[in-house]
């Protein structure tokens, strides 16, 4: 089935195969005449990126690119990007890539006009009001993975290269003005990235659904997001060219990010420090710690997960859901535990302290303490 859709929720989203050809129009909608395309180093040399630049150039918008972006991007990447943006006299950003390229592109558009350091805009209380909102440049987002949902999010994740801590930078205007979800762009993802990013989308839905705050809208979106992952992630993994599966995974990714406005939990508060210290893939790390976190949260979410299992067509309530997660992981080649991921438990106290500082920690259904979080970490090895 060829799915095409235009949504205005939570921003303008243009979903469907081949729609990258609308990139120049998307820029013009936001008044851009000289956009800077921001992506990561790996994507810079790929044909999909060259094609996106062609579309911009043919419409008279130039073909400027900044790609000095690491996976788990940091403030040095951001500084270099802001410099490239200013030097080039750009008037907006095309954030192109997985979460790394998307987040860094969004943050360049945000920081180009600010005078305070980026860490002043961490997602704490009303810190975002410190920003001069009138100086935030327009953003067009083009995801090339189906996982983070950063294309429909109001945050960017930035790793501090000195402290190795991942910080969430938040501003409502970090939400891109137009999003192009073209599933053809995701076809070339290596299998491990399809698996890892897809499991990130699943983790967003699962944690948002499980988090105790009152937000039924988010709960509904998260449930349907999990259903899409269940039906389509194994298909996208098995056959990367299955465009129906790829399209539905793009939807699931966006749904995860919309849903997690409600909150995330221990999966993310554990995986953020691991990713920041060991530079592991974010979504794959989430998938690795997911079963121990489910066991940890069981007393608080057993009934809720049984309801989700029923919706997903899984028999056996919480236990059935837990077994399903194990079998999904096995199908996608996810390492069994952190040891299998190549990590040693020698920095567990440090990781525990970092997990306790992570903002996702507060959304976990079972209150996290130093003691139980350390035990949870040990359980992940
Ligand atoms: N802003 C948010 O709300 C949010 C949410 C979750 C995660 N994140 C952040 O996003 C980052 C992870 O993003 P990600 O999982 O999408 O991975 P990524 O952006 O780091 O990309 C992973 C790898 O896949 C490659 N790649 C991307 N698209 C490809 C394609 N179509 N074909 C071939 N290769 C491709 C990249 O070059 C890179 O090497 C982390 O920094 C994480 O903290 C942000
Ligand atoms: Fe995530």
């Amino acid at each position: 089935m060829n799915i095409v859709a235009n949504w205005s929720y939570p921003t303008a989203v243009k979903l469907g195969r081949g729609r990258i050809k609308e990139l120049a129009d998307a820029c013009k909608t936001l008044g851009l005449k000289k956009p800077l395309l921001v992506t990561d180093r790996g994507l810079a040399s790929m044909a999909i990126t060259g094609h996106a630049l062609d579309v911009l150039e043919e419409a008279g918008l130039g073909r400027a690119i900044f790609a000095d972006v690491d996976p788990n991007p940091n403030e040095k990447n951001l500084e270099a990007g802001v410099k490239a943006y200013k030097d080039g006299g750009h008037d907006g950003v095309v954030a192109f890539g997985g979460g790394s390229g998307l987040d860094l592109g969004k943050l360049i558009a945000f920081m180009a006009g600010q005078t305070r350091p980026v860490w002043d805009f961490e997602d704490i209380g009303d810190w975002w009001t410190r920003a001069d909102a009138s100086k935030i440049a327009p953003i067009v987002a083009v995801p090339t993975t189906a996982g983070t949902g950063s294309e429909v999010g109001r945050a960017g994740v930035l790793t501090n290269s000195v402290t190795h801590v991942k910080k969430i930078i938040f501003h409502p205007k970090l939400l891109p003005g137009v999003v192009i979800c073209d599933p053809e762009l995701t076809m070339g993802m290596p299998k491990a990235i399809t698996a890892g990013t897809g499991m990130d989308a699943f983790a967003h839905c699962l944690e948002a659904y499980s988090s105790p705050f009152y937000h039924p809208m988010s709960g509904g979106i998260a449930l349907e997001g999990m259903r899409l992952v269940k039906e389509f992630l194994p298909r996208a993994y098995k056959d990367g060219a299955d465009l129906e599966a790829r399209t539905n995974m793009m939807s699931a990714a966006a749904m995860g990010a919309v849903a997690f406005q409600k909150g995330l939990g221990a999966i993310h508060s554990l995986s953020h420090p691991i990713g920041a210290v060991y530079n592991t893939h974010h979504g794959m790390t989430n998938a690795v710690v997911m079963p121990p976190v489910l066991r940890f949260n069981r007393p608080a979410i057993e009934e809720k997960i049984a309801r989700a299992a029923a919706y997903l067509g899984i028999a056996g309530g919480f236990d059935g859901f837990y077994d399903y997660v194990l079998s999904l992981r096995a199908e996608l080649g996810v390492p069994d535990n952190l040891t299998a991921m190549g990590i040693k438990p020698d920095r567990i106290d440090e990781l525990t302290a970092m997990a306790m500082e992570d903002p996702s920690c507060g959304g976990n259904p079972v209150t996290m303490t130093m003691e139980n979080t350390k035990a949870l970490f040990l359980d992940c090895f």
Side-chain angles (χ1 to χ4, degrees), residues 40 42-43 46 48 71-73 98-101 103 106 144-145 148 150 155-157 166 185-186 188-190 193 197 200 204 260 272 281-282:
D40 70 70
L43 275 162
M46 288 183 206
I48 51 171
N72 302 314
S100 301
D103 280 358
K106 287 163 62 179
T144 66
T145 65
T148 70
S150 175
V157 182
K166 269 195 171 192
L185 303 184
T186 67
M189 270 194 278
I193 301 289
T197 51
D200 191 24
H204 294 158
F260 80 57
H272 283 150
H281 182 260
H282 170 73

Side-chain angles (χ1 to χ4, degrees), residues 123-343:
D123 189 8
I124 296 176
D126 65 354
W127 283 20
W128 62 271
T129 59
R130 296 166 165 178
D132 182 347
S134 70
K135 299 269 169 58
I136 302 171
I139 304 161
V140 175
V142 184
T144 66
T145 65
T148 70
S150 175
E151 65 275 12
V152 293
R154 300 170 303 160
V157 182
L158 194 68
T159 301
N160 186 316
S161 68
V162 181
T163 59
H164 294 287
V165 176
K166 269 195 171 192
K167 295 283 188 191
I168 295 171
I169 310 300
F170 172 85
H171 194 284
K173 284 183 79 176
L174 275 172
L175 179 69
V178 183
V179 180
I180 295 182
C181 286
D182 182 343
E184 287 179 353
L185 303 184
T186 67
M187 276 168 45
M189 270 194 278
K191 266 184 156 9
I193 301 289
T194 296
T197 51
M199 287 305 280
D200 191 24
F202 190 76
H204 294 158
C205 293
L206 173 60
E207 293 215 284
Y209 176 77
S210 304
S211 120
F213 306 118
Y214 180 76
H215 200 325
M217 281 189 266
S218 158
I221 292 170
L223 260 185
E224 177 64 1
M226 284 193 270
R227 191 190 67 78
L228 291 180
V229 173
K230 179 170 180 278
E231 184 168 350
F232 294 106
L233 179 55
R235 272 175 56 177
Y237 181 76
K238 260 188 223 100
D239 174 9
D242 181 340
L243 280 167
E244 186 187 357
R246 292 291 195 189
T247 310
N248 279 291
M249 280 308 298
M250 292 203 107
S251 299
M255 290 164 82
V258 170
F260 80 57
Q261 285 190 24
K262 180 184 173 206
L264 288 169
I267 293 175
H268 275 79
S269 51
L270 262 57
S271 101
H272 283 150
I274 297 166
V277 171
Y278 297 100
N279 213 15
T280 54
H281 182 260
H282 170 73
M284 197 53 105
T285 317
N286 289 341
V288 169
V289 302
M290 194 176 283
V293 170
L294 276 171
R295 292 198 295 270
F296 180 85
N297 284 333
R298 181 174 189 148
I301 59 171
E302 187 155 359
E303 252 184 74
K304 228 180 194 178
I305 292 291
R307 274 204 306 277
Y311 179 69
L312 297 172
I314 297 167
F318 181 94
D319 288 318
F321 184 88
Y322 181 81
D323 290 343
Y324 159 71
V325 168
L326 290 184
S327 67
L328 176 66
R329 287 194 342 157
E331 197 174 351
L332 301 175
V334 174
D336 281 341
N337 49 39
L338 290 176
T339 312
M341 220 185 185
I343 297 172

